[in-house]
Amino acid sequence: MRSMGYTSGSALADLIDNSIAAQAKLVEIEFRSTPRAYVAILDDGEGMSADVLERSMRHGSTNPVLRRDLQDLGRYGLGLKTASLSQCRKLTVVSIRDRVISGYCWDLDLVSTRKAWVLIQLDPEELLRLPHVGELTQRKSGTLVLWEELDRLAAGYETVDAALGQQMSTVRSHLALVFHRYLSGEHGLKRLRICINKNELEPVDPFLESHRSTQRLADDSFAVEGSRVSVKPFILPHLNKLSRPEIERAGGSEGLRHQQGFYVYRNRRLIVWGTWFGLARKDELSKLARVRVDISNSLDHLWTVDIKKSTAVPPEAVRRNLRRTIERIRGASGRTLTFRGRQANLELITPGWTEMVDRDGVRFDINREHPAIRSLRAHLESTEERLLDNLLRILESSFPVQVLYSRLAGDSRHHDATHLGEAAFREMVETVLDGWAPGDPARLAFLTNLHLIEPFSSRPDLAKRIGLEKLEKSEDA
């Protein structure tokens, strides 16, 4: 039972589920290495009486087929024990309700010695010697879970100190994502505070909903066995519109490409994320696509939610409906990556590069009809034009496709005209205008459509302003 695959993050998330079910507003997690190593989880929930606590220490204390409260995050009645003992050999739970305190302990060394499931009931003196019990007794109600003998949590590390430091960082990221809707106090939820060693967690929103460039596609919903499944697709902003911290928050340690896909919430607690459930491939063009799927605990039997609440497989009735969402969102993600989220009609944009597809594959050619190229040709003799064509072919044949793909796969931002100051931007415009005399129809067309020509289209407002200024001067002349 200790080898069900819990990580330190998923184990603590299971305990926080219990705190949420107990109406807790604050969960405090402490990682301590001295004077003896332990992890403590203290909440201000409703607490348990001695009889209820004793029952909750029993493995399989809840029948999973019974209907649960719609807000209950539990499932099998195993989480408290299996999650805790997956990380430690000694589990102590102390709870206070109506000012009455009680505590029980599972010590696997004692179980092994006695060769029996011996549950230890702690007397008042033993309770008071435990860390953080003093904080618990100051409350009317609440529960303390204490992990000691951290054999599994510290496995593979040279010291317990090193293990606790690394695990604390991992846990922080995991919980900030899994409970982000509770941490932010989403409408309809009581806001939950989670502190790790007195530092409060900030929610990590995988959809970047507060970012002004995040696209929200049309919602979808459908019923399965009388329960509503809600689907809400998002397209993250283009990388050039995100700061480095935003990219790191949205992509985590594995990057944006890995984190694309469905995010399944059971009672608004994240259980599965970063997967298309085999309905589509993960690729570069879809890496900005994320879909929030909300289900209730009444559909657990169909989604085959596991004990850790970290795996779920959608039933066929759900998969059929999710397919149509995939078709919509993957195309939108590709357009955002390709066109950097521009709002103009893409068919009107004059590109600097054109994509050429033939039987041998795909290549990218410099657009010979681009106004900058046409402006330059107006100054050239025939010999110089051949030199220009050769130069363009050299540039095209050395286009760094593999390097570009590698950089984009690594969530690197790339520079375009958006990073130029206004003076440099104007200088580019002037350079192109040098090829035409005042009043030349090509010059007038260029200025009129400047905001639709790459790379000037990346700053359409500035391009329009410069174009109007130049046109007005031409009319004055």
Side-chain angles (χ1 to χ4, degrees):
M1 293 186 72
R2 302 188 73 198
S3 303
M4 288 183 175
Y6 277 101
T7 64
S8 56
S10 60
L12 285 166
D14 244 9
L15 303 191
I16 294 174
D17 289 342
N18 295 336
S19 297
I20 292 173
Q23 305 298 315
K25 298 186 181 74
L26 171 65
V27 177
E28 298 177 275
I29 303 172
E30 297 288 330
F31 288 80
R32 299 298 179 200
S33 58
T34 57
R36 67 179 190 273
Y38 68 82
V39 176
I41 304 93
L42 176 66
D43 73 33
D44 62 351
E46 296 172 340
M48 293 174 278
S49 65
D51 289 343
V52 172
L53 176 55
E54 183 181 6
R55 285 199 302 273
S56 73
M57 295 293 278
R58 182 183 304 126
H59 288 74
S61 57
T62 304
N63 187 342
V65 302
L66 296 177
R67 179 173 289 276
R68 288 177 173 267
D69 183 276
L70 289 178
Q71 303 307 314
D72 193 345
L73 295 177
R75 176 64 180 160
Y76 295 95
L78 287 168
L80 171 63
K81 287 76 62 177
T82 55
S84 298
L85 295 175
S86 73
Q87 306 296 308
C88 67
R89 295 188 61 81
K90 186 176 182 180
L91 164 66
T92 303
V93 183
V94 182
S95 197
I96 186 169
R97 185 179 177 94
D98 299 326
R99 307 289 184 186
V100 178
I101 189 170
S102 54
Y104 290 88
C105 173
W106 280 118
D107 186 334
L108 295 188
D109 293 327
L110 178 63
V111 170
S112 179
T113 300
R114 298 277 191 92
K115 292 181 170 50
W117 287 99
V118 179
L119 179 65
I120 303 169
Q121 182 175 14
L122 303 177
D123 62 36
E125 291 186 4
E126 291 173 315
L127 289 173
L128 292 176
R129 288 198 294 268
L130 295 173
H132 304 288
V133 165
E135 299 169 51
L136 181 65
T137 56
Q138 295 175 9
R139 302 174 180 180
K140 182 179 179 181
S141 62
T143 299
L144 167 68
V145 178
L146 187 65
W147 295 351
E148 298 174 284
E149 306 299 331
L150 305 170
D151 61 335
R152 294 290 181 88
L153 185 142
Y157 293 90
E158 291 185 2
T159 65
V160 174
D161 272 351
L164 291 178
Q166 180 59 49
Q167 295 291 353
M168 183 166 58
S169 176
T170 302
V171 163
R172 178 180 297 278
S173 299
H174 184 83
L175 299 183
L177 174 63
V178 168
F179 294 103
H180 74 92
R181 297 169 75 176
Y182 286 85
L183 293 171
S184 62
E186 181 178 299
H187 179 71
L189 290 177
K190 292 182 179 178
R191 182 174 179 270
L192 175 69
R193 294 172 58 217
I194 300 176
C195 297
I196 298 181
N197 284 15
K198 310 305 180 186
N199 295 311
E200 187 168 345
L201 287 188
E202 294 294 330
V204 173
D205 175 15
F207 311 108
L208 302 180
E209 284 195 75
S210 61
H211 198 288
R212 61 190 181 92
S213 296
T214 295
Q215 300 174 52
R216 298 160 183 80
L217 305 188
D219 296 3
D220 191 12
S221 66
F222 48 89
V224 177
E225 292 194 0
S227 292
R228 182 64 52 182
V229 176
S230 174
V231 180
K232 188 174 184 62
F234 295 85
I235 305 295
L236 301 188
H238 188 274
L239 299 182
N240 283 7
K241 296 186 176 182
L242 297 175
S243 65
R244 174 49 56 183
E246 287 173 331
I247 292 175
E248 291 174 354
R249 283 200 300 272
S253 61
E254 297 178 303
L256 289 171
R257 188 178 191 274
H258 186 80
Q259 301 293 354
Q260 65 182 277
F262 293 108
Y263 284 64
V264 180
Y265 294 80
R266 176 180 178 266
N267 292 353
R268 290 189 272 192
R269 187 265 212 206
L270 186 59
I271 58 174
V272 180
W273 62 93
T275 175
W276 291 116
F277 294 122
L279 301 174
R281 290 189 313 164
K282 288 185 176 181
D283 57 38
E284 283 305 303
L285 288 181
S286 60
K287 74 178 182 180
L288 300 181
R290 298 186 178 186
V291 185
R292 189 170 74 199
V293 180
D294 279 295
I295 64 173
S296 72
N297 57 15
S298 62
L299 295 179
D300 285 354
H301 63 293
L302 292 179
W303 283 79
T304 58
V305 177
D306 70 348
I307 289 172
K308 306 187 302 295
K309 296 187 286 292
S310 61
T311 301
V313 180
E316 184 55 34
V318 174
R319 292 167 71 88
R320 283 196 302 269
N321 285 279
L322 293 182
R323 282 191 183 95
R324 65 173 182 256
T325 298
I326 289 177
E327 293 172 2
R328 283 193 298 138
I329 193 169
R330 283 169 64 86
S333 173
R335 288 191 296 274
T336 298
L337 277 169
T338 305
F339 297 104
R340 300 189 293 278
R342 292 176 306 209
Q343 299 302 310
N345 186 336
L346 300 178
E347 295 179 355
L348 298 178
I349 296 291
T350 299
W353 292 81
T354 56
E355 182 183 15
M356 307 299 292
V357 182
D358 57 31
R359 67 180 64 185
D360 296 322
V362 179
R363 71 177 192 275
F364 293 91
D365 290 348
I366 295 173
N367 181 12
R368 301 304 198 271
E369 297 302 314
H370 191 281
I373 303 294
R374 293 170 60 194
S375 171
L376 178 58
R377 284 189 187 280
H379 285 281
L380 301 179
E381 302 293 339
S382 58
T383 303
E384 294 171 326
E385 282 200 60
R386 286 197 298 273
L387 291 174
L388 173 63
D389 287 332
N390 282 330
L391 174 61
L392 296 181
R393 280 194 289 269
I394 289 171
L395 293 174
E396 292 165 347
S397 62
S398 59
F399 186 81
V401 174
Q402 299 301 330
V403 175
L404 178 62
Y405 181 85
S406 175
R407 292 297 185 186
L408 290 176
D411 298 339
S412 296
R413 299 176 58 179
H414 68 278
H415 292 305
D416 56 18
T418 57
H419 83 285
L420 295 175
E422 183 171 337
F425 195 91
R426 286 179 176 275
E427 185 177 354
M428 282 201 306
V429 175
E430 293 289 353
T431 301
V432 178
L433 289 176
D434 285 343
W436 295 301
D440 190 314
R443 176 189 177 96
L444 297 177
F446 173 70
L447 291 173
T448 302
N449 298 297
L450 186 60
H451 63 290
L452 298 175
I453 299 170
E454 288 190 326
F456 311 107
S457 57
S458 61
R459 299 186 66 179
D461 293 338
L462 177 57
K464 284 181 180 179
R465 177 153 52 86
I466 293 174
L468 287 174
E469 290 173 4
K470 299 291 183 184
L471 287 170
E472 288 173 359
K473 286 183 180 180
S474 297
E475 290 176 0
D476 291 341

